[in-house]
Amino acid sequence: MSKKTIIPFGPQHPILPEPIHLDLVVEDEKVLEAIPSIGFIHRGLEKLVEKKDFVDFVYVAERICGICSFIHGMTYCMAIEEIMKVEVPARAQYLRVIWSELSRLHSHLLWLGLMADGFGFESLFMQSWRIRELILDIIEETTGGRVIFGSAKIGGVRKDIDAKTLDDIVRKLDRYAADIREIAGVFLSDASVQHRLKGVGVLSGADAYALGCVGPTLRASGVAMDMRQLGYAAYKNINFSPVVETAGDCYARCSVRIRELYQSIDLIKQAAGQMEAGPLEVKVSGTPKGEFFARTEQPRGEVVYYAKADGTRFLQRLRVRTPTFANIPALVKVIPGHALADVPILVLTIDPCISCTER
Amino acid sequence: MKFFVMAKTVLRNLFSAPATRRYPAIRRPYYKNTRGSISIAVDQCIFCGMCSRKCPSAALTVVKAGKKWTINRLRCIACGYCVEVCPKQCLAMGNHYSASVQAKTEETFSHA
Ligand code: SF4
Ligand code: SF4
């Protein structure tokens, strides 16, 4: 006779870099239901807009997440720029693309490492993070920070990348692409890895769409939706089509992220090729009045920034809808029916970023 | 279905130099842009307090009357905003991290 038990998963768990808690209703080794609870690291950053000048808040917005920090800062700036009808110079738009893609590269490599660690492939984890370190070096060289770029600014960007450094970056990325191909081979064709990923956690395209999934979680289920298609920053001038897989399992989600690595390298090259000399920012004066929804694509999916301003130096309201928050319903949906030992892999495949989810 | 795809990489790793450095014998060079730590040329400071008003993490305290500029290095997030807003350009962002601390103290600078 089997009996139902509840096994707590998290908030502290070896595979979780950040705290999320799931109550797993388990019968034998099979999970019947997963009940999530979040809110362990709520910091009230959205409320802070009432106390911080809207120009200074960029620094806070960047620190909402420690991985996709640049895109957070940039999206906040985009919302304010749209309200204030500021036209960002072309060079700044291209630099924003380059830095966005660099953060996607390092985020996906981080995820690949965590995933490898999650299914117990220690040396693959270290190889992924070795490559990630090389990307972090590029980021530090160009912006001054390893993960907190600090280069987004309302009206443009703070830093420039000179032509020689840009050439170097493009050349380096070609080399790193070869390194990535080497580890990608292991993720995508090794029998032991496939055994853990193939057919696990299948999410159909219709479910993914209905549950409001975003990012690689959605695209791995065959829905070609990527906010970069909206053409914000300089994406409108760049040849881009979303990476899509159809299987909807953990393997497909892994494959989408790996293919996005090559795509990001390609986008950086395109941006570097098209970028022309010009100003980095326009001077922004006055205060914002109005409201706007800014949407961009983060490594984990679509992020939405809603800003409402009443013409003072302090925003009335700021709301951030982060990608992980949108993907948690999918997680809760796919877990039932799987073995307890598969839960860590399933949690990891949505690439959970809890500190931005809870802000 | 392939097996031992990682074998080549693992074997190569056995015979190649490590990917990590032997710190502290070999130190990592900092980049020119690296945001390390804040320094002040205090004799040029006019104690206007602009830096402390703008600092996102409230790491700076400026006392105009006593002509004192104080930084709490444990609060500073090395964003560099104070350097940007200082009207006298007396703040600088060094590309070296500040030395490790043994106590939660603040550093105060004032005119000699
Ligand atoms: S902004 Fe510059 S001049 Fe003013 S108090 Fe700070 S360091 Fe001194
Ligand atoms: S670098 Fe940023 S956090 Fe540090 S003292 Fe200056 S403004 Fe404050």
Side-chain angles (χ1 to χ4, degrees):
Chain A
M1 265 310 275
S2 54
K3 193 171 122 218
K4 276 194 208 169
T5 337
I6 292 184
I7 296 192
F9 179 92
Q12 302 299 333
H13 188 279
I15 64 116
L16 288 174
E18 293 174 276
I20 179 173
H21 176 80
L22 294 172
D23 276 315
L24 301 172
V25 183
V26 176
E27 195 177 65
D28 291 339
E29 280 290 302
K30 209 168 98 198
V31 183
L32 300 180
E33 197 188 351
I35 305 157
S37 43
I38 57 172
F40 293 94
I41 39 174
H42 175 63
R43 291 158 290 163
L45 295 181
E46 288 164 326
K47 182 83 176 156
L48 208 57
V49 284
E50 295 166 15
K51 295 245 173 64
K52 282 245 177 275
D53 187 296
F54 74 96
V55 178
D56 309 352
F57 194 78
V58 183
Y59 288 107
V60 182
E62 280 208 314
R63 283 163 177 81
I64 284 181
C65 178
I67 298 297
C68 28
S69 78
F70 177 75
I71 307 187
H72 270 291
M74 178 185 81
T75 317
Y76 171 77
C77 292
M78 280 167 55
I80 303 294
E81 284 155 6
E82 192 64 35
I83 296 174
M84 297 181 74
K85 306 273 176 288
V86 174
E87 194 66 49
V88 179
R91 190 174 174 88
Q93 305 270 29
Y94 279 106
L95 286 168
R96 285 181 177 185
V97 168
I98 291 177
W99 281 319
S100 299
E101 293 310 320
L102 282 170
S103 62
R104 195 175 323 276
L105 276 172
H106 99 75
S107 171
H108 280 357
L109 284 164
L110 173 108
W111 178 83
L112 285 174
L114 291 176
M115 193 65 186
D117 191 42
F119 53 63
F121 206 146
E122 202 74 11
S123 52
L124 188 55
F125 154 64
M126 289 183 182
Q127 287 297 331
S128 312
W129 280 34
R130 180 183 67 81
I131 305 173
R132 173 175 181 257
E133 202 61 32
L134 302 171
I135 305 286
L136 290 182
D137 281 347
I138 297 183
I139 298 175
E140 181 172 345
E141 186 183 352
T142 54
T143 68
R146 279 160 54 87
V147 286
I148 305 286
F149 293 35
S151 51
K153 177 178 193 176
I154 295 175
V157 289
R158 279 204 166 76
K159 294 241 161 65
D160 196 6
I161 307 181
D162 61 53
K164 191 179 154 294
T165 317
L166 202 58
D167 278 353
D168 274 356
I169 292 174
V170 169
R171 235 173 303 121
K172 277 185 205 160
L173 286 176
D174 276 331
R175 270 212 314 278
Y176 301 164
D179 288 1
I180 292 172
R181 217 159 276 131
E182 195 175 313
I183 61 159
V186 186
F187 277 102
L188 297 178
S189 59
D190 195 271
S192 59
V193 177
Q194 291 197 357
H195 179 67
R196 291 302 307 273
L197 302 184
K198 272 222 161 135
V200 177
V202 180
L203 184 70
S204 72
D207 277 346
Y209 187 82
L211 290 168
C213 293
V214 291
T217 313
L218 179 66
R219 292 194 286 279
S221 298
V223 184
M225 208 196 261
D226 188 313
M227 288 313 120
R228 285 172 284 178
Q229 288 167 300
L230 293 177
Y232 63 87
Y235 286 108
K236 51 188 167 296
N237 308 326
I238 287 178
N239 188 2
F240 167 81
S241 61
V243 172
V244 183
E245 292 277 339
T246 48
D249 57 358
C250 290
Y251 181 80
R253 290 190 274 277
C254 182
S255 163
V256 165
R257 291 192 177 98
I258 287 177
R259 286 171 54 203
E260 283 190 355
L261 288 173
Y262 306 127
Q263 184 186 47
S264 289
I265 293 180
D266 174 55
L267 292 175
I268 294 175
K269 280 197 210 159
Q270 285 192 43
Q274 293 180 11
M275 199 158 77
E276 284 170 5
L280 293 179
E281 52 171 311
V282 286
K283 211 168 156 36
V284 177
S285 51
T287 52
K289 188 169 187 344
E291 53 184 342
F292 189 67
F293 272 101
R295 306 159 75 196
T296 57
E297 185 74 15
Q298 280 197 336
R300 293 167 182 78
E302 175 191 356
V303 65
V304 182
Y305 265 71
Y306 167 71
K308 182 163 183 243
D310 59 358
T312 63
R313 295 207 68 82
F314 305 97
L315 297 186
Q316 268 183 315
R317 182 91 174 88
L318 180 76
R319 165 94 183 122
V320 186
R321 204 294 314 270
T322 59
T324 303
F325 188 70
N327 282 334
I328 287 177
L331 175 66
V332 175
K333 163 110 187 157
V334 296
I335 288 179
H338 284 92
L340 188 58
D342 280 333
V343 173
I345 303 279
L346 291 168
V347 173
L348 280 178
T349 54
I350 67 158
D351 200 355
C353 176
I354 309 302
S355 56
C356 63
T357 302
E358 302 180 353
R359 306 174 295 284
Chain B
M1 191 75 83
K2 291 192 213 156
F3 293 89
F4 299 111
V5 184
M6 189 78 180
K8 205 178 105 213
T9 315
V10 171
L11 282 176
R12 206 182 48 236
N13 275 348
L14 279 179
F15 300 105
S16 59
T20 47
R21 286 183 197 84
R22 295 186 176 277
Y23 185 86
I26 303 171
R27 282 170 194 265
R28 176 175 180 272
Y30 292 99
Y31 292 99
K32 194 172 108 272
N33 273 335
T34 303
R35 296 195 308 271
S37 57
I38 293 287
S39 59
I40 180 169
V42 76
D43 40 326
Q44 284 161 38
C45 175
I46 52 169
F47 304 99
C48 63
M50 196 61 179
C51 50
S52 75
R53 275 196 298 280
K54 289 290 182 183
C55 175
S57 61
L60 302 175
T61 335
V62 178
V63 186
K64 194 167 172 90
K67 290 195 186 309
K68 280 200 172 71
W69 186 91
T70 305
I71 180 165
N72 181 339
R73 296 214 182 265
L74 293 174
R75 288 194 80 127
C76 172
I77 50 175
C79 65
Y81 200 25
C82 50
V83 179
E84 212 175 296
V85 296
C86 173
K88 301 297 284 180
Q89 270 115 45
C90 59
L91 294 174
M93 177 64 84
N95 68 349
H96 279 59
Y97 298 135
S98 51
S100 13
V101 294
Q102 284 166 353
K104 287 188 179 177
T105 51
E106 296 187 329
E107 269 177 71
T108 301
F109 297 81
S110 57
H111 283 186

